[in-house]
Amino acid sequence: MPGESAVNFSLLHRTCKLVVLLCFLHISVTVVFYVRSLDLRFAFVQNQQSHNRSAAGPPSTAAVRGDAKPAEGSPELGAPEVKAAPDLQPCLETSPLLVGPLRVEFNMPVSLEKVKKDNPLVEAGGRFRPSDCVALQKVAIIIPFRKREEHLKYWLYYLHPILQRQQLDYGVYVINQDGDVIFNRAKLLNVGYAEAMKDYDYGCFVFSDVDLIPMDDRNTYRCFSQPRHLSVSMDKFGFRLPYNQYFGGVSSMSREQFLKINGFPNNYWGWGGEDDDIYNRLSSKGMSISRATGEVGKCRMIRHNRDKQNEPNPQRFDRIAHTRQTMMKDGINSLTYKVIRKEKLDLYTMITVDVGKP
Ligand code: UDH
Ligand code: NGS
């Protein structure tokens, strides 16, 4: 019927109009979202370029011009690297990113992939420097190492975020003793110093056992006007110093302080005494030990059994009795070793080294 077909046609016409309108709406919305996403991507790229070396934190943590105090210690330690970033101000003496006491435990599994994902601003070889201010010190962190992969994962997991919050220009060096001959902690530390100096103009050296984690980020891993003992109150000693001259675990020294004592002894094979020898060296050169308070200096040790080929050194008592006579002959000036491999890994530089045998 003609009337019925007219009604059908008008219904069809209206439906078509609605479909066209909906299509138009859909295309418009798609275009708007596309343009906005382009904007965002552009902004993100810009952000990456200006912050590609930044730690997460407030927008500006630099000192207000003229307010920044030089770092405690020699001018060389505090000298910011003006050449690298001429428009940046020195970082503040106390980083505003610090959070204080930290929960440290070792009962969860940790993977290097996760640590890498959690620390996107750490660069190859375990290098970092803040992007919004010039770090007050360039710090090489040296870890003596052999067959402690599990401990190293925890160390990297806890320390990278802490060191970034401390606004240090730092690099992590794991000095891996090759082979199975008896372990030599102090010689590995000397190797770490020598190898790190080939990489960058470090002015400060932190020497850390792989199994020690600070429990407070105010315990800054930097150098001071006197050599610093950083593992002040360890859980295994009931959060107290075992003895006043104790200088084991984690310590820091500026390049000048290290060179003044001719570095560390090379002839302590096996466990014990090398840290006491280092203490003797410092004290014989008129230096004293600086420490954070017991509260700020708290740290946890990852429990472990004695390693193979690191038995107590029977010669250690005799050696520490003669530090003053031997120290200027045995040290960084008499160091010999052979680098087997140097690998710039995502979270640290691993240097595998043949340190010889007794
Ligand atoms: N280290 C290694 N591999 C070794 C030996 C030592 O990586 O085979 C490194 C590591 O960084 C370690 C540091 O050297 O943290 C000091 O060695 P250590 O941990 O053996 O010294 P510590 O005084 O322990 O911590 C001594 C043995 C404790 C036995 C406890 C038994 N319950
Ligand atoms: C001393 C050792 C140090 C050692 C310290 C703590 O007796 O090397 O104990 O050891 N000195 C000598 O043996 C001469 S610890 O309890 O951490 O194993 O660092």
Side-chain angles (χ1 to χ4, degrees):
M1 280 205 311
E4 199 176 320
S5 79
V7 170
N8 276 349
F9 180 76
S10 126
L11 189 70
L12 195 67
H13 184 74
R14 259 183 288 155
T15 310
C16 281
K17 260 173 53 185
L18 198 69
V19 168
V20 169
L21 201 73
L22 277 175
C23 282
F24 181 74
L25 206 69
H26 181 84
I27 289 169
S28 313
V29 168
T30 308
V31 167
V32 166
F33 273 93
Y34 179 71
V35 168
R36 283 186 54 184
S37 86
L38 273 185
D39 265 9
L40 278 178
R41 250 179 278 167
F42 181 62
F44 178 73
V45 169
Q46 275 191 329
N47 198 37
Q48 287 292 298
Q49 280 166 352
S50 57
H51 290 271
N52 62 351
R53 284 174 160 279
S54 157
S60 177
T61 53
V64 175
R65 189 181 290 277
D67 280 1
K69 280 196 219 113
E72 190 185 338
S74 65
E76 186 275 330
L77 283 180
E81 198 197 352
V82 183
K83 262 185 286 160
D87 51 336
L88 290 183
Q89 296 298 308
C91 297
L92 292 169
E93 175 73 12
T94 303
S95 165
L97 306 178
L98 301 181
V99 297
L102 307 166
R103 215 168 104 174
V104 175
E105 49 198 35
F106 308 114
N107 50 14
M108 70 300 184
V110 162
S111 77
L112 287 182
E113 290 69 36
K114 178 173 162 46
V115 180
K116 173 153 175 50
K117 233 170 97 191
D118 290 349
N119 296 276
L121 304 175
V122 172
E123 296 184 356
R127 290 282 287 111
F128 169 86
R129 67 177 169 200
S131 70
D132 56 357
C133 59
V134 181
L136 298 180
Q137 296 192 11
K138 297 171 186 165
V139 185
I141 295 155
I142 318 283
I143 302 176
F145 184 87
R146 185 164 69 186
K147 295 184 189 147
R148 294 276 196 101
E149 283 72 15
E150 277 311 298
H151 294 184
L152 182 59
K153 278 189 215 165
Y154 284 114
W155 192 95
L156 296 163
Y157 172 78
Y158 281 114
L159 265 297
H160 268 306
I162 293 175
L163 298 166
Q164 288 171 81
R165 289 201 298 277
Q166 294 180 345
Q167 296 190 309
L168 302 167
D169 178 355
Y170 72 86
V172 176
Y173 293 84
V174 175
I175 314 300
N176 179 32
Q177 183 170 334
D178 192 44
D180 287 315
V181 302
I182 190 152
F183 198 70
N184 190 329
R185 177 177 180 268
K187 188 167 184 182
L188 290 170
L189 299 179
N190 273 342
V191 172
Y193 170 89
E195 288 297 312
M197 283 303 292
K198 291 180 187 169
D199 265 10
Y200 192 47
D201 178 28
Y202 292 109
C204 172
F205 300 83
V206 170
F207 304 99
S208 174
D209 283 0
V210 72
D211 52 12
L212 282 170
I213 312 294
M215 297 171 70
D216 193 309
D217 63 8
R218 289 170 296 173
N219 192 10
T220 309
Y221 275 33
R222 67 164 174 103
C223 290
F224 292 79
S225 53
Q226 292 298 319
R228 184 86 160 177
H229 184 226
L230 291 151
S231 48
V232 177
S233 35
M234 284 158 65
D235 57 349
K236 78 162 172 178
F237 298 133
F239 294 109
R240 307 224 314 259
L241 265 185
Y243 50 97
N244 268 344
Q245 298 82 356
Y246 178 59
F247 200 59
V250 191
S251 60
S252 76
M253 259 174 241
S254 70
R255 197 163 62 216
E256 285 68 31
Q257 291 160 354
F258 181 86
L259 292 176
K260 202 164 168 186
I261 60 168
N262 190 23
F264 299 159
N266 296 302
N267 61 355
Y268 281 73
W269 298 91
W271 181 88
E274 83 295 343
D275 47 353
D276 302 310
D277 188 289
I278 296 166
Y279 176 84
N280 289 345
R281 289 175 180 234
L282 295 170
S283 109
S284 82
K285 291 289 173 184
M287 291 185 266
S288 55
I289 304 302
S290 114
R291 290 192 175 96
T293 61
E295 196 49 36
V296 169
K298 280 170 101 173
C299 57
R300 274 200 199 293
M301 194 192 85
I302 309 171
R303 297 273 159 185
H304 62 91
N305 295 327
R306 191 175 289 284
D307 303 90
K308 291 199 181 91
Q309 291 291 33
N310 196 24
E311 283 74 36
N313 171 9
Q315 297 172 333
R316 66 191 189 282
F317 301 106
D318 185 51
R319 291 229 193 282
I320 57 176
H322 296 99
T323 306
R324 281 166 191 257
Q325 291 94 296
T326 56
M327 63 181 276
M328 293 324 276
K329 287 183 285 208
D330 173 32
I332 197 72
N333 67 355
S334 62
L335 174 68
T336 56
Y337 61 96
K338 192 166 161 245
V339 172
I340 306 288
R341 240 182 349 268
K342 177 169 175 173
E343 299 156 280
K344 276 200 174 187
L345 305 174
D346 284 338
L347 296 162
Y348 59 97
T349 298
M350 167 85 103
I351 300 175
T352 301
V353 60
D354 177 357
V355 290
K357 48 183 190 295

